[in-house]
């Protein structure tokens, strides 16, 4: 084998490895898989369910970063964030770092958006005084919550298993800085492979737990 042939072979190998590494890092920066450990999202998510989370969809920028590039443009509202894709929406299921212990990841559903007032009367949720339709619930619980104003860049989150969830009712809204991403797919068990719905519960057997 000639030196030129060997060099071409090595070049092809390096290009293949480089492409594989690029794809790997792109995937690492945009998606992540999780395993459900507890039961706060029952019946939507069950114990041992495996999830794919889109980490890129909520990517956001501080306006100050753009101001440095465009110093003569001043159109941004105070405390605002810029989302190339979109901010978290109501009813989306998200993974986030627990505010009191960032080493722990929780999965909950977005209920209240920034600037909204959330209250609960005998398990029924109200947003700015209006009844919130929650077709993804099986049971709503019986708890009450005095009106809570959701701060800028924060989200009021709750588990679908209202009787067995530690969430914003107990420790307040979650900052966007703690949000990891949106749950998009349940891929295991494979027999129940499905997109994670924003408007209806799943119906399947199995205990769940995600406190």
């Amino acid at each position: 084998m000639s030196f030129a042939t060997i060099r071409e072979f090595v070049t092809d190998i390096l290009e293949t490895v480089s492409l594989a590494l690029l794809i790997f890092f792109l995937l690492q920066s945009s998606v992540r898989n999780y395993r459900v450990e507890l039961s706060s999202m029952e019946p939507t998510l069950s114990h041992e369910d495996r999830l794919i989370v889109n980490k890129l969809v909520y990517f956001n920028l501080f306006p100050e970063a753009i101001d440095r590039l465009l110093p003569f443009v001043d159109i941004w509202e105070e405390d605002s964030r810029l989302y190339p894709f979109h901010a978290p929406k109501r009813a989306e299921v998200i993974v986030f770092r627990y505010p009191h212990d960032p080493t722990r990841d929780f999965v909950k559903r977005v209920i209240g958006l920034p600037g909204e007032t959330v209250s609960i009367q005998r398990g029924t949720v109200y947003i700015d005084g209006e009844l919130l339709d929650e077709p993804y619930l099986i049971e709503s619980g019986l708890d009450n919550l005095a009106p809570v104003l959701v701060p800028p860049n924060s989200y009021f989150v709750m588990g679908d298993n209202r009787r067995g969830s530690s969430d914003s009712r107990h420790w307040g809204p979650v900052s966007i800085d703690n949000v990891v991403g949106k749950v998009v797919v349940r891929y295991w068990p494979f027999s129940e492979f499905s997109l994670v719905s924003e408007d209806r519960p799943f119906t399947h057997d199995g205990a769940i737990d995600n406190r």
Side-chain angles (χ1 to χ4, degrees), residues 60-84:
N60 61 91
L61 297 169
F62 286 101
E64 291 81 358
I66 296 180
D67 287 341
R68 287 193 290 269
L69 298 175
L70 303 171
F72 303 108
V73 177
D74 187 17
I75 61 175
W76 322 115
E77 296 181 5
E78 186 177 358
D79 293 326
S80 65
R81 296 287 183 94
L82 303 177
Y83 292 86

PDB file of all heavy atoms in Angstrom, residues 60-84:
ATOM      1  N   ASN A  60     -33.018  30.889  25.068  1.00  0.00           N
ATOM      2  CA  ASN A  60     -33.365  32.304  25.154  1.00  0.00           C
ATOM      3  C   ASN A  60     -32.136  33.164  25.389  1.00  0.00           C
ATOM      4  O   ASN A  60     -31.090  32.673  25.844  1.00  0.00           O
ATOM      5  CB  ASN A  60     -34.400  32.538  26.258  1.00  0.00           C
ATOM      6  CG  ASN A  60     -33.893  32.142  27.628  1.00  0.00           C
ATOM      7  OD1 ASN A  60     -33.319  32.943  28.356  1.00  0.00           O
ATOM      8  ND2 ASN A  60     -34.087  30.862  28.000  1.00  0.00           N
ATOM      9  N   LEU A  61     -32.276  34.431  25.081  1.00  0.00           N
ATOM     10  CA  LEU A  61     -31.182  35.387  25.189  1.00  0.00           C
ATOM     11  C   LEU A  61     -31.612  36.587  26.023  1.00  0.00           C
ATOM     12  O   LEU A  61     -32.781  36.988  26.006  1.00  0.00           O
ATOM     13  CB  LEU A  61     -30.763  35.892  23.800  1.00  0.00           C
ATOM     14  CG  LEU A  61     -30.205  34.868  22.814  1.00  0.00           C
ATOM     15  CD1 LEU A  61     -30.118  35.497  21.436  1.00  0.00           C
ATOM     16  CD2 LEU A  61     -28.834  34.380  23.264  1.00  0.00           C
ATOM     17  N   PHE A  62     -30.660  37.138  26.750  1.00  0.00           N
ATOM     18  CA  PHE A  62     -30.886  38.421  27.405  1.00  0.00           C
ATOM     19  C   PHE A  62     -30.821  39.524  26.354  1.00  0.00           C
ATOM     20  O   PHE A  62     -29.928  39.513  25.502  1.00  0.00           O
ATOM     21  CB  PHE A  62     -29.824  38.695  28.470  1.00  0.00           C
ATOM     22  CG  PHE A  62     -29.987  37.886  29.721  1.00  0.00           C
ATOM     23  CD1 PHE A  62     -29.196  36.764  29.944  1.00  0.00           C
ATOM     24  CD2 PHE A  62     -30.925  38.243  30.661  1.00  0.00           C
ATOM     25  CE1 PHE A  62     -29.347  36.006  31.095  1.00  0.00           C
ATOM     26  CE2 PHE A  62     -31.072  37.494  31.825  1.00  0.00           C
ATOM     27  CZ  PHE A  62     -30.286  36.383  32.039  1.00  0.00           C
ATOM     28  N   PRO A  63     -31.735  40.491  26.371  1.00  0.00           N
ATOM     29  CA  PRO A  63     -31.668  41.606  25.416  1.00  0.00           C
ATOM     30  C   PRO A  63     -30.339  42.349  25.463  1.00  0.00           C
ATOM     31  O   PRO A  63     -29.896  42.901  24.461  1.00  0.00           O
ATOM     32  CB  PRO A  63     -32.823  42.514  25.846  1.00  0.00           C
ATOM     33  CG  PRO A  63     -33.786  41.597  26.520  1.00  0.00           C
ATOM     34  CD  PRO A  63     -32.926  40.569  27.218  1.00  0.00           C
ATOM     35  N   GLU A  64     -29.677  42.349  26.647  1.00  0.00           N
ATOM     36  CA  GLU A  64     -28.408  43.059  26.769  1.00  0.00           C
ATOM     37  C   GLU A  64     -27.372  42.511  25.793  1.00  0.00           C
ATOM     38  O   GLU A  64     -26.519  43.253  25.301  1.00  0.00           O
ATOM     39  CB  GLU A  64     -27.869  42.958  28.200  1.00  0.00           C
ATOM     40  CG  GLU A  64     -28.665  43.733  29.242  1.00  0.00           C
ATOM     41  CD  GLU A  64     -29.908  42.998  29.707  1.00  0.00           C
ATOM     42  OE1 GLU A  64     -30.175  41.883  29.192  1.00  0.00           O
ATOM     43  OE2 GLU A  64     -30.629  43.531  30.565  1.00  0.00           O
ATOM     44  N   ALA A  65     -27.459  41.209  25.509  1.00  0.00           N
ATOM     45  CA  ALA A  65     -26.497  40.621  24.575  1.00  0.00           C
ATOM     46  C   ALA A  65     -26.666  41.195  23.181  1.00  0.00           C
ATOM     47  O   ALA A  65     -25.687  41.436  22.463  1.00  0.00           O
ATOM     48  CB  ALA A  65     -26.665  39.110  24.537  1.00  0.00           C
ATOM     49  N   ILE A  66     -27.925  41.460  22.799  1.00  0.00           N
ATOM     50  CA  ILE A  66     -28.175  42.046  21.485  1.00  0.00           C
ATOM     51  C   ILE A  66     -27.866  43.539  21.506  1.00  0.00           C
ATOM     52  O   ILE A  66     -27.394  44.099  20.515  1.00  0.00           O
ATOM     53  CB  ILE A  66     -29.626  41.786  21.060  1.00  0.00           C
ATOM     54  CG1 ILE A  66     -29.837  40.276  20.908  1.00  0.00           C
ATOM     55  CG2 ILE A  66     -29.960  42.510  19.757  1.00  0.00           C
ATOM     56  CD1 ILE A  66     -31.218  39.891  20.494  1.00  0.00           C
ATOM     57  N   ASP A  67     -28.113  44.185  22.646  1.00  0.00           N
ATOM     58  CA  ASP A  67     -27.805  45.620  22.758  1.00  0.00           C
ATOM     59  C   ASP A  67     -26.324  45.890  22.510  1.00  0.00           C
ATOM     60  O   ASP A  67     -25.958  46.937  21.970  1.00  0.00           O
ATOM     61  CB  ASP A  67     -28.195  46.136  24.150  1.00  0.00           C
ATOM     62  CG  ASP A  67     -29.706  46.255  24.299  1.00  0.00           C
ATOM     63  OD1 ASP A  67     -30.399  46.286  23.265  1.00  0.00           O
ATOM     64  OD2 ASP A  67     -30.182  46.309  25.443  1.00  0.00           O
ATOM     65  N   ARG A  68     -25.490  44.930  22.923  1.00  0.00           N
ATOM     66  CA  ARG A  68     -24.056  45.122  22.699  1.00  0.00           C
ATOM     67  C   ARG A  68     -23.713  45.060  21.212  1.00  0.00           C
ATOM     68  O   ARG A  68     -22.759  45.700  20.763  1.00  0.00           O
ATOM     69  CB  ARG A  68     -23.262  44.074  23.481  1.00  0.00           C
ATOM     70  CG  ARG A  68     -23.245  44.340  24.985  1.00  0.00           C
ATOM     71  CD  ARG A  68     -22.192  43.486  25.669  1.00  0.00           C
ATOM     72  NE  ARG A  68     -22.565  42.084  25.684  1.00  0.00           N
ATOM     73  CZ  ARG A  68     -23.254  41.515  26.678  1.00  0.00           C
ATOM     74  NH1 ARG A  68     -23.646  42.238  27.715  1.00  0.00           N
ATOM     75  NH2 ARG A  68     -23.557  40.221  26.632  1.00  0.00           N
ATOM     76  N   LEU A  69     -24.504  44.288  20.468  1.00  0.00           N
ATOM     77  CA  LEU A  69     -24.276  44.199  19.032  1.00  0.00           C
ATOM     78  C   LEU A  69     -24.960  45.328  18.275  1.00  0.00           C
ATOM     79  O   LEU A  69     -24.468  45.804  17.241  1.00  0.00           O
ATOM     80  CB  LEU A  69     -24.797  42.852  18.504  1.00  0.00           C
ATOM     81  CG  LEU A  69     -24.126  41.605  19.079  1.00  0.00           C
ATOM     82  CD1 LEU A  69     -24.821  40.354  18.565  1.00  0.00           C
ATOM     83  CD2 LEU A  69     -22.642  41.583  18.697  1.00  0.00           C
ATOM     84  N   LEU A  70     -26.126  45.767  18.800  1.00  0.00           N
ATOM     85  CA  LEU A  70     -26.893  46.854  18.174  1.00  0.00           C
ATOM     86  C   LEU A  70     -27.124  47.952  19.203  1.00  0.00           C
ATOM     87  O   LEU A  70     -28.220  48.101  19.732  1.00  0.00           O
ATOM     88  CB  LEU A  70     -28.232  46.312  17.646  1.00  0.00           C
ATOM     89  CG  LEU A  70     -28.148  45.157  16.648  1.00  0.00           C
ATOM     90  CD1 LEU A  70     -29.538  44.586  16.378  1.00  0.00           C
ATOM     91  CD2 LEU A  70     -27.515  45.624  15.345  1.00  0.00           C
ATOM     92  N   PRO A  71     -26.106  48.724  19.505  1.00  0.00           N
ATOM     93  CA  PRO A  71     -26.187  49.686  20.607  1.00  0.00           C
ATOM     94  C   PRO A  71     -27.213  50.796  20.410  1.00  0.00           C
ATOM     95  O   PRO A  71     -27.601  51.454  21.369  1.00  0.00           O
ATOM     96  CB  PRO A  71     -24.759  50.262  20.667  1.00  0.00           C
ATOM     97  CG  PRO A  71     -24.211  50.049  19.297  1.00  0.00           C
ATOM     98  CD  PRO A  71     -24.809  48.753  18.817  1.00  0.00           C
ATOM     99  N   PHE A  72     -27.664  51.020  19.191  1.00  0.00           N
ATOM    100  CA  PHE A  72     -28.596  52.122  18.954  1.00  0.00           C
ATOM    101  C   PHE A  72     -30.050  51.653  18.891  1.00  0.00           C
ATOM    102  O   PHE A  72     -30.947  52.427  18.578  1.00  0.00           O
ATOM    103  CB  PHE A  72     -28.225  52.840  17.643  1.00  0.00           C
ATOM    104  CG  PHE A  72     -26.812  53.364  17.633  1.00  0.00           C
ATOM    105  CD1 PHE A  72     -25.840  52.759  16.861  1.00  0.00           C
ATOM    106  CD2 PHE A  72     -26.456  54.438  18.448  1.00  0.00           C
ATOM    107  CE1 PHE A  72     -24.531  53.227  16.872  1.00  0.00           C
ATOM    108  CE2 PHE A  72     -25.155  54.911  18.461  1.00  0.00           C
ATOM    109  CZ  PHE A  72     -24.189  54.300  17.673  1.00  0.00           C
ATOM    110  N   VAL A  73     -30.268  50.359  19.176  1.00  0.00           N
ATOM    111  CA  VAL A  73     -31.615  49.809  19.181  1.00  0.00           C
ATOM    112  C   VAL A  73     -32.035  49.558  20.626  1.00  0.00           C
ATOM    113  O   VAL A  73     -31.352  48.860  21.358  1.00  0.00           O
ATOM    114  CB  VAL A  73     -31.679  48.487  18.378  1.00  0.00           C
ATOM    115  CG1 VAL A  73     -33.081  47.893  18.466  1.00  0.00           C
ATOM    116  CG2 VAL A  73     -31.287  48.733  16.934  1.00  0.00           C
ATOM    117  N   ASP A  74     -33.158  50.156  21.022  1.00  0.00           N
ATOM    118  CA  ASP A  74     -33.637  50.002  22.404  1.00  0.00           C
ATOM    119  C   ASP A  74     -35.133  49.740  22.368  1.00  0.00           C
ATOM    120  O   ASP A  74     -35.948  50.615  22.640  1.00  0.00           O
ATOM    121  CB  ASP A  74     -33.322  51.255  23.220  1.00  0.00           C
ATOM    122  CG  ASP A  74     -33.656  51.076  24.692  1.00  0.00           C
ATOM    123  OD1 ASP A  74     -33.818  49.920  25.110  1.00  0.00           O
ATOM    124  OD2 ASP A  74     -33.769  52.104  25.398  1.00  0.00           O
ATOM    125  N   ILE A  75     -35.502  48.506  22.020  1.00  0.00           N
ATOM    126  CA  ILE A  75     -36.915  48.161  21.873  1.00  0.00           C
ATOM    127  C   ILE A  75     -37.340  47.076  22.858  1.00  0.00           C
ATOM    128  O   ILE A  75     -38.480  46.643  22.849  1.00  0.00           O
ATOM    129  CB  ILE A  75     -37.222  47.691  20.441  1.00  0.00           C
ATOM    130  CG1 ILE A  75     -36.397  46.441  20.107  1.00  0.00           C
ATOM    131  CG2 ILE A  75     -36.955  48.795  19.435  1.00  0.00           C
ATOM    132  CD1 ILE A  75     -36.743  45.840  18.756  1.00  0.00           C
ATOM    133  N   TRP A  76     -36.404  46.645  23.729  1.00  0.00           N
ATOM    134  CA  TRP A  76     -36.698  45.508  24.594  1.00  0.00           C
ATOM    135  C   TRP A  76     -37.353  45.969  25.894  1.00  0.00           C
ATOM    136  O   TRP A  76     -36.973  46.976  26.488  1.00  0.00           O
ATOM    137  CB  TRP A  76     -35.413  44.748  24.921  1.00  0.00           C
ATOM    138  CG  TRP A  76     -34.466  44.657  23.763  1.00  0.00           C
ATOM    139  CD1 TRP A  76     -33.232  45.212  23.662  1.00  0.00           C
ATOM    140  CD2 TRP A  76     -34.685  43.990  22.524  1.00  0.00           C
ATOM    141  NE1 TRP A  76     -32.671  44.932  22.461  1.00  0.00           N
ATOM    142  CE2 TRP A  76     -33.538  44.183  21.730  1.00  0.00           C
ATOM    143  CE3 TRP A  76     -35.760  43.242  22.003  1.00  0.00           C
ATOM    144  CZ2 TRP A  76     -33.418  43.655  20.456  1.00  0.00           C
ATOM    145  CZ3 TRP A  76     -35.629  42.716  20.737  1.00  0.00           C
ATOM    146  CH2 TRP A  76     -34.489  42.918  19.977  1.00  0.00           C
ATOM    147  N   GLU A  77     -38.342  45.201  26.343  1.00  0.00           N
ATOM    148  CA  GLU A  77     -38.977  45.489  27.612  1.00  0.00           C
ATOM    149  C   GLU A  77     -38.078  45.043  28.762  1.00  0.00           C
ATOM    150  O   GLU A  77     -37.280  44.122  28.628  1.00  0.00           O
ATOM    151  CB  GLU A  77     -40.320  44.757  27.714  1.00  0.00           C
ATOM    152  CG  GLU A  77     -41.341  45.217  26.683  1.00  0.00           C
ATOM    153  CD  GLU A  77     -42.653  44.485  26.844  1.00  0.00           C
ATOM    154  OE1 GLU A  77     -42.767  43.701  27.823  1.00  0.00           O
ATOM    155  OE2 GLU A  77     -43.542  44.681  26.017  1.00  0.00           O
ATOM    156  N   GLU A  78     -38.230  45.712  29.893  1.00  0.00           N
ATOM    157  CA  GLU A  78     -37.436  45.357  31.071  1.00  0.00           C
ATOM    158  C   GLU A  78     -37.772  43.929  31.508  1.00  0.00           C
ATOM    159  O   GLU A  78     -38.926  43.503  31.468  1.00  0.00           O
ATOM    160  CB  GLU A  78     -37.740  46.324  32.214  1.00  0.00           C
ATOM    161  CG  GLU A  78     -36.855  46.134  33.429  1.00  0.00           C
ATOM    162  CD  GLU A  78     -37.137  47.164  34.508  1.00  0.00           C
ATOM    163  OE1 GLU A  78     -37.989  48.037  34.282  1.00  0.00           O
ATOM    164  OE2 GLU A  78     -36.515  47.065  35.572  1.00  0.00           O
ATOM    165  N   ASP A  79     -36.757  43.177  31.898  1.00  0.00           N
ATOM    166  CA  ASP A  79     -36.896  41.791  32.356  1.00  0.00           C
ATOM    167  C   ASP A  79     -37.321  40.826  31.241  1.00  0.00           C
ATOM    168  O   ASP A  79     -37.720  39.701  31.522  1.00  0.00           O
ATOM    169  CB  ASP A  79     -37.913  41.671  33.505  1.00  0.00           C
ATOM    170  CG  ASP A  79     -37.429  42.363  34.767  1.00  0.00           C
ATOM    171  OD1 ASP A  79     -36.211  42.357  35.007  1.00  0.00           O
ATOM    172  OD2 ASP A  79     -38.273  42.906  35.489  1.00  0.00           O
ATOM    173  N   SER A  80     -37.247  41.270  30.000  1.00  0.00           N
ATOM    174  CA  SER A  80     -37.690  40.404  28.917  1.00  0.00           C
ATOM    175  C   SER A  80     -36.598  39.423  28.510  1.00  0.00           C
ATOM    176  O   SER A  80     -35.425  39.612  28.820  1.00  0.00           O
ATOM    177  CB  SER A  80     -38.115  41.233  27.700  1.00  0.00           C
ATOM    178  OG  SER A  80     -36.995  41.922  27.160  1.00  0.00           O
ATOM    179  N   ARG A  81     -37.002  38.363  27.834  1.00  0.00           N
ATOM    180  CA  ARG A  81     -36.091  37.398  27.220  1.00  0.00           C
ATOM    181  C   ARG A  81     -36.494  37.246  25.760  1.00  0.00           C
ATOM    182  O   ARG A  81     -37.667  37.406  25.404  1.00  0.00           O
ATOM    183  CB  ARG A  81     -36.178  36.037  27.912  1.00  0.00           C
ATOM    184  CG  ARG A  81     -35.739  36.034  29.372  1.00  0.00           C
ATOM    185  CD  ARG A  81     -34.243  36.170  29.538  1.00  0.00           C
ATOM    186  NE  ARG A  81     -33.861  36.095  30.934  1.00  0.00           N
ATOM    187  CZ  ARG A  81     -33.485  34.968  31.533  1.00  0.00           C
ATOM    188  NH1 ARG A  81     -33.429  33.838  30.867  1.00  0.00           N
ATOM    189  NH2 ARG A  81     -33.159  34.968  32.811  1.00  0.00           N
ATOM    190  N   LEU A  82     -35.544  36.913  24.931  1.00  0.00           N
ATOM    191  CA  LEU A  82     -35.799  36.698  23.521  1.00  0.00           C
ATOM    192  C   LEU A  82     -35.708  35.206  23.225  1.00  0.00           C
ATOM    193  O   LEU A  82     -34.697  34.565  23.539  1.00  0.00           O
ATOM    194  CB  LEU A  82     -34.787  37.472  22.671  1.00  0.00           C
ATOM    195  CG  LEU A  82     -34.735  38.977  22.928  1.00  0.00           C
ATOM    196  CD1 LEU A  82     -33.643  39.622  22.082  1.00  0.00           C
ATOM    197  CD2 LEU A  82     -36.078  39.620  22.618  1.00  0.00           C
ATOM    198  N   TYR A  83     -36.776  34.660  22.635  1.00  0.00           N
ATOM    199  CA  TYR A  83     -36.840  33.228  22.337  1.00  0.00           C
ATOM    200  C   TYR A  83     -36.841  33.022  20.826  1.00  0.00           C
ATOM    201  O   TYR A  83     -37.840  33.334  20.157  1.00  0.00           O
ATOM    202  CB  TYR A  83     -38.120  32.623  22.923  1.00  0.00           C
ATOM    203  CG  TYR A  83     -38.137  32.602  24.439  1.00  0.00           C
ATOM    204  CD1 TYR A  83     -38.582  33.701  25.163  1.00  0.00           C
ATOM    205  CD2 TYR A  83     -37.718  31.483  25.136  1.00  0.00           C
ATOM    206  CE1 TYR A  83     -38.602  33.680  26.550  1.00  0.00           C
ATOM    207  CE2 TYR A  83     -37.743  31.444  26.525  1.00  0.00           C
ATOM    208  CZ  TYR A  83     -38.180  32.552  27.216  1.00  0.00           C
ATOM    209  OH  TYR A  83     -38.192  32.533  28.589  1.00  0.00           O
ATOM    210  N   PRO A  84     -35.748  32.506  20.258  1.00  0.00           N
ATOM    211  CA  PRO A  84     -35.730  32.224  18.817  1.00  0.00           C
ATOM    212  C   PRO A  84     -36.827  31.254  18.398  1.00  0.00           C
ATOM    213  O   PRO A  84     -37.335  31.336  17.280  1.00  0.00           O
ATOM    214  CB  PRO A  84     -34.337  31.621  18.599  1.00  0.00           C
ATOM    215  CG  PRO A  84     -33.508  32.151  19.724  1.00  0.00           C
ATOM    216  CD  PRO A  84     -34.448  32.240  20.886  1.00  0.00           C
TER     217      PRO A  84
END
